[in-house]
Amino acid sequence: MMRSTNPALRQSSWPADMSLAMDDHGQPIRMLLFIRHAWGLAEDLALPELNPVPETGSSAMPDEAARILWERRWIRTWSNAWGVKAHGAHRVPGLAALTTAASRATDNDAWTAQYGREGIDLTAFEQWEQMFDPLLGIDLDPVLRGPQVEPVLVAAWERGLTDLTVVPWAGYCMHKLSDSHLVTSFDIAASWSLLRQALAEWIRTRLA
């Protein structure tokens, strides 16, 4: 759900033009996380564990190509999926290199659009999504406008923060996608103490 101009995210004590775009429905990214987990791809990437952990059903890597090719395809699609969200220079979760080129990725670059649904148990994927559906209904506004979070959120906005993406990851995680974008988990976004910590770390972290 994208809320780029939600009035609830602009309180009287905030700058009049302050807003935060929040995306907690990134299905292309969730699909890629499911495939990575189900097929055992790119396991050397430093990505957080999933929460909840999906049952993969009958999902299995197709024999159509070698594992190394599937991994290359996955990493390229993963990079493109984040490039769609980023503005300018950005660092894709799990990848060390800083990407400076503007992304030209589109919905046609989604995994199923490129490689079809072979090897993906869509029922298992949908059941996994249903497991965290309740989290999508969490009202984060009280956390964002709380006295513990508001000052550091305003400070982050003053330093360029405009976007927050929430991913089904486990544990504490703060990823600075770009100088305007924070990526974190549902647990972090719903906790004033952890979100305050993530925002403060985002401010301190240098992208380059």
Side-chain angles (χ1 to χ4, degrees):
M1 176 170 55
M2 186 64 71
R3 296 179 291 193
S4 57
T5 56
N6 189 340
L9 301 185
R10 297 195 301 271
Q11 303 304 313
S12 58
S13 59
W14 293 6
D17 58 343
M18 178 176 168
S19 64
L20 180 68
M22 186 168 63
D23 182 9
D24 54 8
H25 281 66
Q27 190 183 66
I29 288 171
R30 297 200 302 251
M31 172 63 79
L32 288 166
L33 289 171
F34 180 85
I35 292 170
R36 176 176 182 260
H37 176 76
W39 295 7
L41 296 178
E43 294 181 326
D44 58 331
L45 297 189
L47 293 175
E49 297 295 324
L50 298 178
N51 182 34
V53 178
E55 296 291 336
T56 57
S58 61
S59 301
M61 185 173 57
D63 295 331
E64 175 263 323
R67 171 176 293 274
I68 190 170
L69 179 55
W70 282 122
E71 288 196 334
R72 287 173 181 167
R73 290 171 173 175
W74 187 91
I75 291 173
R76 182 173 62 248
T77 309
W78 177 250
S79 181
N80 287 342
W82 287 106
V84 169
K85 294 180 171 297
H87 305 289
H90 60 281
R91 196 178 303 279
V92 176
L95 303 182
L98 183 68
T99 300
T100 57
S103 173
R104 291 192 169 93
T106 68
D107 289 341
N108 291 331
D109 294 310
W111 182 271
T112 52
Q114 295 182 87
Y115 308 115
R117 300 177 178 181
E118 185 179 0
I120 305 170
D121 187 327
L122 291 178
T123 298
F125 175 70
E126 291 167 1
Q127 289 174 344
W128 178 51
E129 287 196 303
Q130 290 169 8
M131 291 174 68
F132 53 81
D133 270 352
L135 301 175
L136 302 178
I138 292 177
D139 182 8
L140 300 181
D141 294 349
V143 176
L144 293 168
R145 68 170 178 254
Q148 302 91 344
V149 173
E150 183 183 73
V152 70
L153 178 60
V154 172
W157 176 80
E158 289 174 342
R159 288 162 176 79
L161 180 66
T162 60
D163 292 85
L164 172 66
T165 294
V166 186
V167 181
W169 281 333
Y172 177 82
C173 52
M174 188 295 300
H175 179 77
K176 189 165 188 171
L177 180 66
S178 72
D179 284 331
S180 63
H181 204 131
L182 165 65
V183 181
T184 190
S185 68
F186 287 107
D187 289 342
I188 304 304
S191 165
W192 67 261
S193 60
L194 294 176
L195 181 57
R196 182 178 65 182
Q197 180 181 344
L199 287 165
E201 186 180 354
W202 183 90
I203 292 172
R204 295 192 304 268
T205 301
R206 296 181 64 85
L207 190 65

